[in-house]
Amino acid sequence: MPDPVPDPTDTPSALTPDEEKARATEALAATAAQLRERGQAAGGTAAEVLDALAMMAEDPSLATDVQQRIEKGATAEYAVFAAMDAFRELLAGMGGYLGERADDLGDVARRAIARLQGLPAPGVPESEHPFILVARDLAPADTATLDLDRVLALVTTEGGPTSHTAILAREKGITAIVGALQAAELNDGDLVLVDAENGTIELDPAQERIDLAVQRTATLQAIRAASSGPGRLADGHAVPLLANIGSPESAREAAARGAEGVGLFRTEVLFLGAEKAPSVEEQAATYREVFANFPGQKVVVRVLDAGADKPLAFLTDAGEENPALGRRGLRALAAHEEVLRDQLTALAQAAEGSEAEVQVMAPMVSTAQEATYFRDLAHELGIRIAGVMVEVPSCAIMADHVVPNADFVSIGTNDLTQYVFAADRLLGSVAGFQNPWHPAVLRLIQQVGSAGTEHGVPVGICGEAAADPLLAVVLVGLGATTLSMSSTSIADVRAEISQYTLDEARALAAIAVAADSAESARDAVAAAADELDPVEPAAP
Amino acid sequence: MADRTLVVASAHGLHARPAALFVKAATDSGASVHLRKGDRTVDAKSILGVISLGIDHGDEVTLAVEGENDEAVLNELAAFLEQDHDA
């Protein structure tokens, strides 16, 4: 894809300020309209993203800035460019998520400038035959309207995992590699093989590599298309695929996407922003609404996980220096037992008369004593099945004592990874540590899995790790009995696990825990998985 | 004029999606609305202004509304900010 139109230069305008202002206003309004139109054509998240971009083009602060620049003698082109650039730099300077939004703003500017110069809107080139699109970065407007029959894969040299390109590509199921620096060397017409699963780009691949890739893609597509119903391995071993949800709305969505139940129902949403806990009756009504979506299926409710990044006025101690290491989760609830008792009572009330199989678990459990405390209290208040979340390394290390004191355990891989590496999972500068493929995390999961097998206690996984199809296979090999994830990932995970027997999953798990880093674990497992002959999916 | 200081609830702060929804709500209100974080104040109808405040989850912000029904508009916008739109 060609690089966009060059930036305009600050040359004196030949028109009157009023004429330039009218041109700028027209171009910005037309750009906004064009973005909305593309968004509406694409629908879904794309519509929201493009609508936000349209709002940027129409922004009143930007318009004021543009007009002031024109009054000082700038052309409409330069005024739009400079005003956008000032905001772009402001956002870029803030880094992280906002820094990536700066690129979006650059795209809005280029569209408006192309319009002012009478050039076609920048975008994906037209082509007669299917092609692999290589670009510096793809504007959200382009990703959203990609012709999936024409574009075989997408490679960008810039952009990070949270860029809109990455998010939209994931949503549309486009084979995509984002931020591949080496792709800058590629030329128009090069023959390349893009392997998004392994993040590799191969230049001039041998014919047999191409044949293998084509065959692999076809197999995967066939398996995905044929995959529905409950999650199971190639040998028929059942691995229920559950959803992580946060509201009655997401419960409905998960049920529609074929979740076999809920592995993590976050209840904070009922409480956030509240000055005091909602009443037992109010809580029970919301819980009932969620349970109603899963008759005959499991719904695992996590009691309030307040503290750290989710402070609550009535539970969280103010002024903790390290809230992630503070009185959060079960620790906060135990200190305010009346809140926990009310929530368990509300859950027991809602479970009664519901057809869902309601289970309740406690977050941030770090000792066997806490597990016992929670289970006893939950049983006392009428909850039949009470378990604990394994997120704190001490809990995994003591799994042989914790597991017998719980009706089930659920491993929260995001927090477990954060605590294993002592790396704040919300902090960009240590984000590199937040990788559940690391054997340090996998070995702890293995200990919990073994304890679960030995004591006959179910071991669930909830967290992003379960949504990574290949890692999901490893987790089953480590002893996970259920996997819970955002419901959009269920189809992919279902398709992937159906290709391996339990013995094969265990063999892949052994390879992963023996590695010396997250990257080598992933690479070694991917290589071993490639060698295993794809197996026909198990009959439903 | 009516104003209020509150804590933003969205798990990812006031970034793209929640920011766009908030700006829309402010624009639709027809009133003059300003949002302040620290010592910076921006027009709540400007999405660039709002996201450039870099408002994170748990940040304290002040909303100021001028115009007819300022109390009602303030209540509505404050309620929006106190909800988690990323959950």
Side-chain angles (χ1 to χ4, degrees), chain A residues 48 51-52 55-56 59-61 87 90 94 97-98 105 269 272 309-311, chain B residues 15-17 20 23-24 45-48 51-54 57 82 84 87:
Chain A
E48 274 181 19
D51 193 39
M55 289 171 73
M56 292 183 186
D59 195 283
S61 310
F87 277 109
L90 181 66
M94 299 173 86
Y97 183 86
L98 290 174
L105 196 52
V269 74
L272 281 175
D309 56 332
K310 301 174 285 250
Chain B
H15 294 158
R17 183 172 170 269
V23 169
K24 232 176 241 155
K45 290 174 186 153
S46 161
I47 188 167
L48 294 170
I51 62 177
S52 73
L53 287 180
H57 170 82
E82 285 172 336
D84 183 3

PDB file of all heavy atoms in Angstrom, chain A residues 48 51-52 55-56 59-61 87 90 94 97-98 105 269 272 309-311, chain B residues 15-17 20 23-24 45-48 51-54 57 82 84 87:
ATOM      1  N   GLU A  48     -18.475   1.890  15.824  1.00  0.00           N
ATOM      2  CA  GLU A  48     -18.171   2.721  16.998  1.00  0.00           C
ATOM      3  C   GLU A  48     -16.835   3.423  16.835  1.00  0.00           C
ATOM      4  O   GLU A  48     -16.698   4.610  17.142  1.00  0.00           O
ATOM      5  CB  GLU A  48     -18.088   1.843  18.254  1.00  0.00           C
ATOM      6  CG  GLU A  48     -19.425   1.623  18.897  1.00  0.00           C
ATOM      7  CD  GLU A  48     -19.287   0.767  20.145  1.00  0.00           C
ATOM      8  OE1 GLU A  48     -18.167   0.666  20.692  1.00  0.00           O
ATOM      9  OE2 GLU A  48     -20.302   0.197  20.563  1.00  0.00           O
ATOM     10  N   ASP A  51     -17.099   6.110  14.219  1.00  0.00           N
ATOM     11  CA  ASP A  51     -17.910   7.214  14.703  1.00  0.00           C
ATOM     12  C   ASP A  51     -17.063   8.123  15.597  1.00  0.00           C
ATOM     13  O   ASP A  51     -17.160   9.353  15.529  1.00  0.00           O
ATOM     14  CB  ASP A  51     -19.115   6.668  15.474  1.00  0.00           C
ATOM     15  CG  ASP A  51     -20.153   7.747  15.724  1.00  0.00           C
ATOM     16  OD1 ASP A  51     -20.361   8.564  14.800  1.00  0.00           O
ATOM     17  OD2 ASP A  51     -20.734   7.790  16.811  1.00  0.00           O
ATOM     18  N   ALA A  52     -16.210   7.509  16.418  1.00  0.00           N
ATOM     19  CA  ALA A  52     -15.327   8.315  17.277  1.00  0.00           C
ATOM     20  C   ALA A  52     -14.369   9.139  16.409  1.00  0.00           C
ATOM     21  O   ALA A  52     -14.086  10.302  16.705  1.00  0.00           O
ATOM     22  CB  ALA A  52     -14.547   7.413  18.236  1.00  0.00           C
ATOM     23  N   MET A  55     -16.163  12.063  15.046  1.00  0.00           N
ATOM     24  CA  MET A  55     -16.299  13.109  16.060  1.00  0.00           C
ATOM     25  C   MET A  55     -15.016  13.940  16.160  1.00  0.00           C
ATOM     26  O   MET A  55     -15.051  15.123  16.463  1.00  0.00           O
ATOM     27  CB  MET A  55     -16.629  12.491  17.424  1.00  0.00           C
ATOM     28  CG  MET A  55     -18.040  11.940  17.488  1.00  0.00           C
ATOM     29  SD  MET A  55     -18.326  10.979  18.996  1.00  0.00           S
ATOM     30  CE  MET A  55     -18.393  12.285  20.208  1.00  0.00           C
ATOM     31  N   MET A  56     -13.876  13.282  15.930  1.00  0.00           N
ATOM     32  CA  MET A  56     -12.612  14.032  15.953  1.00  0.00           C
ATOM     33  C   MET A  56     -12.585  15.042  14.805  1.00  0.00           C
ATOM     34  O   MET A  56     -12.148  16.177  14.967  1.00  0.00           O
ATOM     35  CB  MET A  56     -11.424  13.079  15.829  1.00  0.00           C
ATOM     36  CG  MET A  56     -11.250  12.194  17.053  1.00  0.00           C
ATOM     37  SD  MET A  56      -9.784  11.154  16.884  1.00  0.00           S
ATOM     38  CE  MET A  56      -9.941  10.132  18.350  1.00  0.00           C
ATOM     39  N   ASP A  59     -14.603  18.002  15.704  1.00  0.00           N
ATOM     40  CA  ASP A  59     -14.346  18.521  17.052  1.00  0.00           C
ATOM     41  C   ASP A  59     -14.363  20.062  17.087  1.00  0.00           C
ATOM     42  O   ASP A  59     -13.660  20.713  16.308  1.00  0.00           O
ATOM     43  CB  ASP A  59     -12.985  18.013  17.510  1.00  0.00           C
ATOM     44  CG  ASP A  59     -12.797  18.194  18.990  1.00  0.00           C
ATOM     45  OD1 ASP A  59     -12.535  19.333  19.419  1.00  0.00           O
ATOM     46  OD2 ASP A  59     -12.943  17.201  19.714  1.00  0.00           O
ATOM     47  N   PRO A  60     -15.137  20.654  18.010  1.00  0.00           N
ATOM     48  CA  PRO A  60     -15.205  22.123  18.057  1.00  0.00           C
ATOM     49  C   PRO A  60     -13.867  22.779  18.442  1.00  0.00           C
ATOM     50  O   PRO A  60     -13.544  23.851  17.919  1.00  0.00           O
ATOM     51  CB  PRO A  60     -16.284  22.402  19.109  1.00  0.00           C
ATOM     52  CG  PRO A  60     -16.451  21.135  19.873  1.00  0.00           C
ATOM     53  CD  PRO A  60     -16.069  20.026  18.947  1.00  0.00           C
ATOM     54  N   SER A  61     -13.083  22.145  19.321  1.00  0.00           N
ATOM     55  CA  SER A  61     -11.789  22.746  19.689  1.00  0.00           C
ATOM     56  C   SER A  61     -10.865  22.763  18.477  1.00  0.00           C
ATOM     57  O   SER A  61     -10.115  23.711  18.253  1.00  0.00           O
ATOM     58  CB  SER A  61     -11.089  21.955  20.792  1.00  0.00           C
ATOM     59  OG  SER A  61     -11.946  21.707  21.842  1.00  0.00           O
ATOM     60  N   PHE A  87      -2.751  18.266  18.306  1.00  0.00           N
ATOM     61  CA  PHE A  87      -3.465  17.291  19.146  1.00  0.00           C
ATOM     62  C   PHE A  87      -2.788  15.931  19.085  1.00  0.00           C
ATOM     63  O   PHE A  87      -2.711  15.209  20.075  1.00  0.00           O
ATOM     64  CB  PHE A  87      -4.920  17.163  18.684  1.00  0.00           C
ATOM     65  CG  PHE A  87      -5.814  18.226  19.254  1.00  0.00           C
ATOM     66  CD1 PHE A  87      -6.313  19.241  18.467  1.00  0.00           C
ATOM     67  CD2 PHE A  87      -6.154  18.198  20.603  1.00  0.00           C
ATOM     68  CE1 PHE A  87      -7.142  20.214  18.997  1.00  0.00           C
ATOM     69  CE2 PHE A  87      -6.983  19.174  21.145  1.00  0.00           C
ATOM     70  CZ  PHE A  87      -7.473  20.186  20.347  1.00  0.00           C
ATOM     71  N   LEU A  90       0.098  15.875  21.347  1.00  0.00           N
ATOM     72  CA  LEU A  90      -0.369  15.848  22.731  1.00  0.00           C
ATOM     73  C   LEU A  90      -0.693  14.408  23.129  1.00  0.00           C
ATOM     74  O   LEU A  90      -0.259  13.912  24.175  1.00  0.00           O
ATOM     75  CB  LEU A  90      -1.610  16.740  22.849  1.00  0.00           C
ATOM     76  CG  LEU A  90      -2.261  16.874  24.221  1.00  0.00           C
ATOM     77  CD1 LEU A  90      -1.322  17.591  25.186  1.00  0.00           C
ATOM     78  CD2 LEU A  90      -3.577  17.644  24.111  1.00  0.00           C
ATOM     79  N   MET A  94       1.412  11.265  25.519  1.00  0.00           N
ATOM     80  CA  MET A  94       0.829  10.591  26.681  1.00  0.00           C
ATOM     81  C   MET A  94       1.111   9.099  26.655  1.00  0.00           C
ATOM     82  O   MET A  94       0.921   8.402  27.641  1.00  0.00           O
ATOM     83  CB  MET A  94      -0.673  10.849  26.731  1.00  0.00           C
ATOM     84  CG  MET A  94      -0.957  12.333  26.856  1.00  0.00           C
ATOM     85  SD  MET A  94      -2.697  12.740  26.723  1.00  0.00           S
ATOM     86  CE  MET A  94      -3.169  12.520  28.416  1.00  0.00           C
ATOM     87  N   TYR A  97      -2.091   3.642  25.435  1.00  0.00           N
ATOM     88  CA  TYR A  97      -3.320   3.570  24.669  1.00  0.00           C
ATOM     89  C   TYR A  97      -3.588   4.875  23.913  1.00  0.00           C
ATOM     90  O   TYR A  97      -3.923   4.875  22.741  1.00  0.00           O
ATOM     91  CB  TYR A  97      -4.464   3.269  25.631  1.00  0.00           C
ATOM     92  CG  TYR A  97      -5.799   3.095  24.969  1.00  0.00           C
ATOM     93  CD1 TYR A  97      -6.174   1.850  24.474  1.00  0.00           C
ATOM     94  CD2 TYR A  97      -6.664   4.160  24.817  1.00  0.00           C
ATOM     95  CE1 TYR A  97      -7.386   1.680  23.851  1.00  0.00           C
ATOM     96  CE2 TYR A  97      -7.884   4.004  24.195  1.00  0.00           C
ATOM     97  CZ  TYR A  97      -8.245   2.759  23.715  1.00  0.00           C
ATOM     98  OH  TYR A  97      -9.441   2.605  23.100  1.00  0.00           O
ATOM     99  N   LEU A  98      -3.390   6.006  24.612  1.00  0.00           N
ATOM    100  CA  LEU A  98      -3.659   7.295  23.976  1.00  0.00           C
ATOM    101  C   LEU A  98      -2.666   7.578  22.863  1.00  0.00           C
ATOM    102  O   LEU A  98      -3.013   8.170  21.845  1.00  0.00           O
ATOM    103  CB  LEU A  98      -3.623   8.415  25.013  1.00  0.00           C
ATOM    104  CG  LEU A  98      -4.798   8.388  25.979  1.00  0.00           C
ATOM    105  CD1 LEU A  98      -4.614   9.438  27.052  1.00  0.00           C
ATOM    106  CD2 LEU A  98      -6.097   8.616  25.238  1.00  0.00           C
ATOM    107  N   LEU A 105      -5.716   9.818  14.666  1.00  0.00           N
ATOM    108  CA  LEU A 105      -5.922  11.233  14.359  1.00  0.00           C
ATOM    109  C   LEU A 105      -5.158  11.617  13.090  1.00  0.00           C
ATOM    110  O   LEU A 105      -5.649  12.389  12.261  1.00  0.00           O
ATOM    111  CB  LEU A 105      -5.453  12.062  15.553  1.00  0.00           C
ATOM    112  CG  LEU A 105      -5.910  13.502  15.603  1.00  0.00           C
ATOM    113  CD1 LEU A 105      -7.405  13.616  15.449  1.00  0.00           C
ATOM    114  CD2 LEU A 105      -5.468  14.123  16.911  1.00  0.00           C
ATOM    115  N   VAL A 269     -19.525  -5.069  38.993  1.00  0.00           N
ATOM    116  CA  VAL A 269     -20.285  -4.076  38.252  1.00  0.00           C
ATOM    117  C   VAL A 269     -21.522  -3.607  39.019  1.00  0.00           C
ATOM    118  O   VAL A 269     -21.961  -2.475  38.902  1.00  0.00           O
ATOM    119  CB  VAL A 269     -20.627  -4.635  36.849  1.00  0.00           C
ATOM    120  CG1 VAL A 269     -21.704  -5.685  36.927  1.00  0.00           C
ATOM    121  CG2 VAL A 269     -21.018  -3.533  35.910  1.00  0.00           C
ATOM    122  N   LEU A 272     -19.696  -1.063  41.726  1.00  0.00           N
ATOM    123  CA  LEU A 272     -18.823   0.056  41.398  1.00  0.00           C
ATOM    124  C   LEU A 272     -19.578   1.372  41.417  1.00  0.00           C
ATOM    125  O   LEU A 272     -20.689   1.470  40.906  1.00  0.00           O
ATOM    126  CB  LEU A 272     -18.184  -0.142  40.025  1.00  0.00           C
ATOM    127  CG  LEU A 272     -16.992  -1.096  40.013  1.00  0.00           C
ATOM    128  CD1 LEU A 272     -16.502  -1.322  38.597  1.00  0.00           C
ATOM    129  CD2 LEU A 272     -15.854  -0.568  40.870  1.00  0.00           C
ATOM    130  N   ASP A 309      -7.188  -2.312  41.362  1.00  0.00           N
ATOM    131  CA  ASP A 309      -7.682  -1.414  40.324  1.00  0.00           C
ATOM    132  C   ASP A 309      -9.187  -1.182  40.420  1.00  0.00           C
ATOM    133  O   ASP A 309      -9.754  -0.486  39.607  1.00  0.00           O
ATOM    134  CB  ASP A 309      -7.311  -1.960  38.945  1.00  0.00           C
ATOM    135  CG  ASP A 309      -7.809  -3.377  38.722  1.00  0.00           C
ATOM    136  OD1 ASP A 309      -7.955  -4.109  39.719  1.00  0.00           O
ATOM    137  OD2 ASP A 309      -8.047  -3.743  37.574  1.00  0.00           O
ATOM    138  N   LYS A 310      -9.862  -1.803  41.409  1.00  0.00           N
ATOM    139  CA  LYS A 310     -11.310  -1.625  41.538  1.00  0.00           C
ATOM    140  C   LYS A 310     -11.675  -1.193  42.955  1.00  0.00           C
ATOM    141  O   LYS A 310     -12.262  -1.956  43.709  1.00  0.00           O
ATOM    142  CB  LYS A 310     -12.029  -2.943  41.208  1.00  0.00           C
ATOM    143  CG  LYS A 310     -11.759  -3.464  39.816  1.00  0.00           C
ATOM    144  CD  LYS A 310     -12.382  -4.832  39.593  1.00  0.00           C
ATOM    145  CE  LYS A 310     -11.619  -5.931  40.279  1.00  0.00           C
ATOM    146  NZ  LYS A 310     -10.913  -6.833  39.369  1.00  0.00           N
ATOM    147  N   PRO A 311     -11.310   0.008  43.352  1.00  0.00           N
ATOM    148  CA  PRO A 311     -11.578   0.414  44.731  1.00  0.00           C
ATOM    149  C   PRO A 311     -13.071   0.647  44.964  1.00  0.00           C
ATOM    150  O   PRO A 311     -13.782   1.042  44.063  1.00  0.00           O
ATOM    151  CB  PRO A 311     -10.801   1.727  44.860  1.00  0.00           C
ATOM    152  CG  PRO A 311     -10.691   2.254  43.475  1.00  0.00           C
ATOM    153  CD  PRO A 311     -10.683   1.071  42.557  1.00  0.00           C
TER     154      PRO A 311
ATOM    155  N   HIS B  15     -11.331   6.732  27.807  1.00  0.00           N
ATOM    156  CA  HIS B  15     -10.632   6.619  26.546  1.00  0.00           C
ATOM    157  C   HIS B  15     -11.654   6.511  25.420  1.00  0.00           C
ATOM    158  O   HIS B  15     -12.803   6.874  25.599  1.00  0.00           O
ATOM    159  CB  HIS B  15      -9.655   5.454  26.595  1.00  0.00           C
ATOM    160  CG  HIS B  15      -8.556   5.706  27.591  1.00  0.00           C
ATOM    161  ND1 HIS B  15      -7.810   4.707  28.151  1.00  0.00           N
ATOM    162  CD2 HIS B  15      -8.127   6.851  28.148  1.00  0.00           C
ATOM    163  CE1 HIS B  15      -6.938   5.235  28.994  1.00  0.00           C
ATOM    164  NE2 HIS B  15      -7.117   6.532  29.010  1.00  0.00           N
ATOM    165  N   ALA B  16     -11.217   6.021  24.267  1.00  0.00           N
ATOM    166  CA  ALA B  16     -12.013   6.179  23.041  1.00  0.00           C
ATOM    167  C   ALA B  16     -13.521   5.989  23.195  1.00  0.00           C
ATOM    168  O   ALA B  16     -14.284   6.924  23.027  1.00  0.00           O
ATOM    169  CB  ALA B  16     -11.476   5.266  21.971  1.00  0.00           C
ATOM    170  N   ARG B  17     -13.955   4.760  23.542  1.00  0.00           N
ATOM    171  CA  ARG B  17     -15.385   4.491  23.474  1.00  0.00           C
ATOM    172  C   ARG B  17     -16.168   5.247  24.548  1.00  0.00           C
ATOM    173  O   ARG B  17     -17.101   5.987  24.219  1.00  0.00           O
ATOM    174  CB  ARG B  17     -15.629   2.989  23.549  1.00  0.00           C
ATOM    175  CG  ARG B  17     -17.074   2.633  23.412  1.00  0.00           C
ATOM    176  CD  ARG B  17     -17.276   1.127  23.290  1.00  0.00           C
ATOM    177  NE  ARG B  17     -18.686   0.841  23.398  1.00  0.00           N
ATOM    178  CZ  ARG B  17     -19.290   0.585  24.531  1.00  0.00           C
ATOM    179  NH1 ARG B  17     -18.601   0.567  25.661  1.00  0.00           N
ATOM    180  NH2 ARG B  17     -20.585   0.340  24.562  1.00  0.00           N
ATOM    181  N   ALA B  20     -16.220   8.924  23.723  1.00  0.00           N
ATOM    182  CA  ALA B  20     -17.122   9.291  22.631  1.00  0.00           C
ATOM    183  C   ALA B  20     -18.565   9.347  23.132  1.00  0.00           C
ATOM    184  O   ALA B  20     -19.312  10.273  22.813  1.00  0.00           O
ATOM    185  CB  ALA B  20     -16.987   8.283  21.485  1.00  0.00           C
ATOM    186  N   VAL B  23     -18.977  12.497  25.287  1.00  0.00           N
ATOM    187  CA  VAL B  23     -19.004  13.728  24.484  1.00  0.00           C
ATOM    188  C   VAL B  23     -20.354  13.860  23.786  1.00  0.00           C
ATOM    189  O   VAL B  23     -20.929  14.940  23.695  1.00  0.00           O
ATOM    190  CB  VAL B  23     -17.838  13.735  23.469  1.00  0.00           C
ATOM    191  CG1 VAL B  23     -17.999  14.855  22.454  1.00  0.00           C
ATOM    192  CG2 VAL B  23     -16.511  13.867  24.207  1.00  0.00           C
ATOM    193  N   LYS B  24     -20.862  12.721  23.320  1.00  0.00           N
ATOM    194  CA  LYS B  24     -22.165  12.733  22.657  1.00  0.00           C
ATOM    195  C   LYS B  24     -23.246  13.202  23.635  1.00  0.00           C
ATOM    196  O   LYS B  24     -24.087  14.043  23.299  1.00  0.00           O
ATOM    197  CB  LYS B  24     -22.487  11.330  22.149  1.00  0.00           C
ATOM    198  CG  LYS B  24     -22.861  11.369  20.686  1.00  0.00           C
ATOM    199  CD  LYS B  24     -23.083   9.991  20.145  1.00  0.00           C
ATOM    200  CE  LYS B  24     -22.090   9.759  19.029  1.00  0.00           C
ATOM    201  NZ  LYS B  24     -21.798   8.378  18.813  1.00  0.00           N
ATOM    202  N   LYS B  45     -17.643  19.021  24.879  1.00  0.00           N
ATOM    203  CA  LYS B  45     -18.137  18.650  23.548  1.00  0.00           C
ATOM    204  C   LYS B  45     -16.985  18.328  22.611  1.00  0.00           C
ATOM    205  O   LYS B  45     -17.206  17.980  21.456  1.00  0.00           O
ATOM    206  CB  LYS B  45     -18.953  19.801  22.961  1.00  0.00           C
ATOM    207  CG  LYS B  45     -20.269  19.978  23.683  1.00  0.00           C
ATOM    208  CD  LYS B  45     -21.005  21.200  23.201  1.00  0.00           C
ATOM    209  CE  LYS B  45     -22.249  21.396  24.059  1.00  0.00           C
ATOM    210  NZ  LYS B  45     -22.655  22.784  24.122  1.00  0.00           N
ATOM    211  N   SER B  46     -15.760  18.481  23.095  1.00  0.00           N
ATOM    212  CA  SER B  46     -14.590  18.211  22.270  1.00  0.00           C
ATOM    213  C   SER B  46     -14.000  16.858  22.647  1.00  0.00           C
ATOM    214  O   SER B  46     -13.456  16.681  23.732  1.00  0.00           O
ATOM    215  CB  SER B  46     -13.550  19.315  22.478  1.00  0.00           C
ATOM    216  OG  SER B  46     -12.280  18.866  22.064  1.00  0.00           O
ATOM    217  N   ILE B  47     -14.109  15.887  21.742  1.00  0.00           N
ATOM    218  CA  ILE B  47     -13.587  14.550  22.058  1.00  0.00           C
ATOM    219  C   ILE B  47     -12.080  14.603  22.223  1.00  0.00           C
ATOM    220  O   ILE B  47     -11.509  13.904  23.069  1.00  0.00           O
ATOM    221  CB  ILE B  47     -14.007  13.512  20.983  1.00  0.00           C
ATOM    222  CG1 ILE B  47     -13.616  12.103  21.441  1.00  0.00           C
ATOM    223  CG2 ILE B  47     -13.397  13.815  19.616  1.00  0.00           C
ATOM    224  CD1 ILE B  47     -14.229  11.000  20.639  1.00  0.00           C
ATOM    225  N   LEU B  48     -11.415  15.469  21.434  1.00  0.00           N
ATOM    226  CA  LEU B  48      -9.956  15.578  21.550  1.00  0.00           C
ATOM    227  C   LEU B  48      -9.589  16.161  22.903  1.00  0.00           C
ATOM    228  O   LEU B  48      -8.638  15.718  23.556  1.00  0.00           O
ATOM    229  CB  LEU B  48      -9.403  16.445  20.419  1.00  0.00           C
ATOM    230  CG  LEU B  48      -9.573  15.825  19.032  1.00  0.00           C
ATOM    231  CD1 LEU B  48      -9.218  16.838  17.950  1.00  0.00           C
ATOM    232  CD2 LEU B  48      -8.705  14.594  18.897  1.00  0.00           C
ATOM    233  N   ILE B  51     -10.320  13.324  25.639  1.00  0.00           N
ATOM    234  CA  ILE B  51      -9.352  12.228  25.749  1.00  0.00           C
ATOM    235  C   ILE B  51      -7.967  12.750  26.112  1.00  0.00           C
ATOM    236  O   ILE B  51      -7.200  12.060  26.754  1.00  0.00           O
ATOM    237  CB  ILE B  51      -9.305  11.272  24.526  1.00  0.00           C
ATOM    238  CG1 ILE B  51      -8.897  11.980  23.257  1.00  0.00           C
ATOM    239  CG2 ILE B  51     -10.572  10.524  24.327  1.00  0.00           C
ATOM    240  CD1 ILE B  51      -8.788  11.011  22.078  1.00  0.00           C
ATOM    241  N   SER B  52      -7.683  14.012  25.746  1.00  0.00           N
ATOM    242  CA  SER B  52      -6.348  14.524  26.066  1.00  0.00           C
ATOM    243  C   SER B  52      -6.181  14.791  27.563  1.00  0.00           C
ATOM    244  O   SER B  52      -5.067  14.999  28.026  1.00  0.00           O
ATOM    245  CB  SER B  52      -6.048  15.791  25.268  1.00  0.00           C
ATOM    246  OG  SER B  52      -6.808  16.868  25.790  1.00  0.00           O
ATOM    247  N   LEU B  53      -7.261  14.750  28.325  1.00  0.00           N
ATOM    248  CA  LEU B  53      -7.104  14.859  29.782  1.00  0.00           C
ATOM    249  C   LEU B  53      -6.500  13.578  30.349  1.00  0.00           C
ATOM    250  O   LEU B  53      -6.042  13.543  31.489  1.00  0.00           O
ATOM    251  CB  LEU B  53      -8.458  15.134  30.453  1.00  0.00           C
ATOM    252  CG  LEU B  53      -9.063  16.533  30.282  1.00  0.00           C
ATOM    253  CD1 LEU B  53     -10.396  16.620  31.017  1.00  0.00           C
ATOM    254  CD2 LEU B  53      -8.123  17.598  30.823  1.00  0.00           C
ATOM    255  N   GLY B  54      -6.537  12.500  29.547  1.00  0.00           N
ATOM    256  CA  GLY B  54      -5.945  11.232  30.008  1.00  0.00           C
ATOM    257  C   GLY B  54      -6.578  10.728  31.282  1.00  0.00           C
ATOM    258  O   GLY B  54      -5.894  10.299  32.211  1.00  0.00           O
ATOM    259  N   HIS B  57      -9.241   5.290  35.223  1.00  0.00           N
ATOM    260  CA  HIS B  57     -10.160   4.748  36.221  1.00  0.00           C
ATOM    261  C   HIS B  57      -9.771   5.259  37.603  1.00  0.00           C
ATOM    262  O   HIS B  57      -8.603   5.202  37.965  1.00  0.00           O
ATOM    263  CB  HIS B  57     -10.077   3.226  36.183  1.00  0.00           C
ATOM    264  CG  HIS B  57     -10.793   2.566  37.307  1.00  0.00           C
ATOM    265  ND1 HIS B  57     -12.145   2.345  37.282  1.00  0.00           N
ATOM    266  CD2 HIS B  57     -10.351   2.122  38.498  1.00  0.00           C
ATOM    267  CE1 HIS B  57     -12.491   1.772  38.407  1.00  0.00           C
ATOM    268  NE2 HIS B  57     -11.433   1.619  39.158  1.00  0.00           N
ATOM    269  N   GLU B  82     -19.968   7.923  36.481  1.00  0.00           N
ATOM    270  CA  GLU B  82     -19.850   7.042  37.646  1.00  0.00           C
ATOM    271  C   GLU B  82     -20.223   5.597  37.338  1.00  0.00           C
ATOM    272  O   GLU B  82     -20.287   4.766  38.231  1.00  0.00           O
ATOM    273  CB  GLU B  82     -20.687   7.600  38.809  1.00  0.00           C
ATOM    274  CG  GLU B  82     -19.987   8.799  39.438  1.00  0.00           C
ATOM    275  CD  GLU B  82     -20.835   9.533  40.457  1.00  0.00           C
ATOM    276  OE1 GLU B  82     -22.072   9.450  40.391  1.00  0.00           O
ATOM    277  OE2 GLU B  82     -20.229  10.190  41.314  1.00  0.00           O
ATOM    278  N   ASP B  84     -19.382   2.057  35.033  1.00  0.00           N
ATOM    279  CA  ASP B  84     -18.275   1.433  34.312  1.00  0.00           C
ATOM    280  C   ASP B  84     -18.736   1.023  32.919  1.00  0.00           C
ATOM    281  O   ASP B  84     -19.513   0.104  32.771  1.00  0.00           O
ATOM    282  CB  ASP B  84     -17.767   0.203  35.073  1.00  0.00           C
ATOM    283  CG  ASP B  84     -16.568  -0.403  34.376  1.00  0.00           C
ATOM    284  OD1 ASP B  84     -16.122   0.174  33.364  1.00  0.00           O
ATOM    285  OD2 ASP B  84     -16.085  -1.435  34.844  1.00  0.00           O
ATOM    286  N   ALA B  87     -17.150  -2.560  31.470  1.00  0.00           N
ATOM    287  CA  ALA B  87     -17.371  -3.853  32.132  1.00  0.00           C
ATOM    288  C   ALA B  87     -18.063  -4.813  31.177  1.00  0.00           C
ATOM    289  O   ALA B  87     -18.768  -4.387  30.293  1.00  0.00           O
ATOM    290  CB  ALA B  87     -18.208  -3.660  33.366  1.00  0.00           C
TER     291      ALA B  87
END
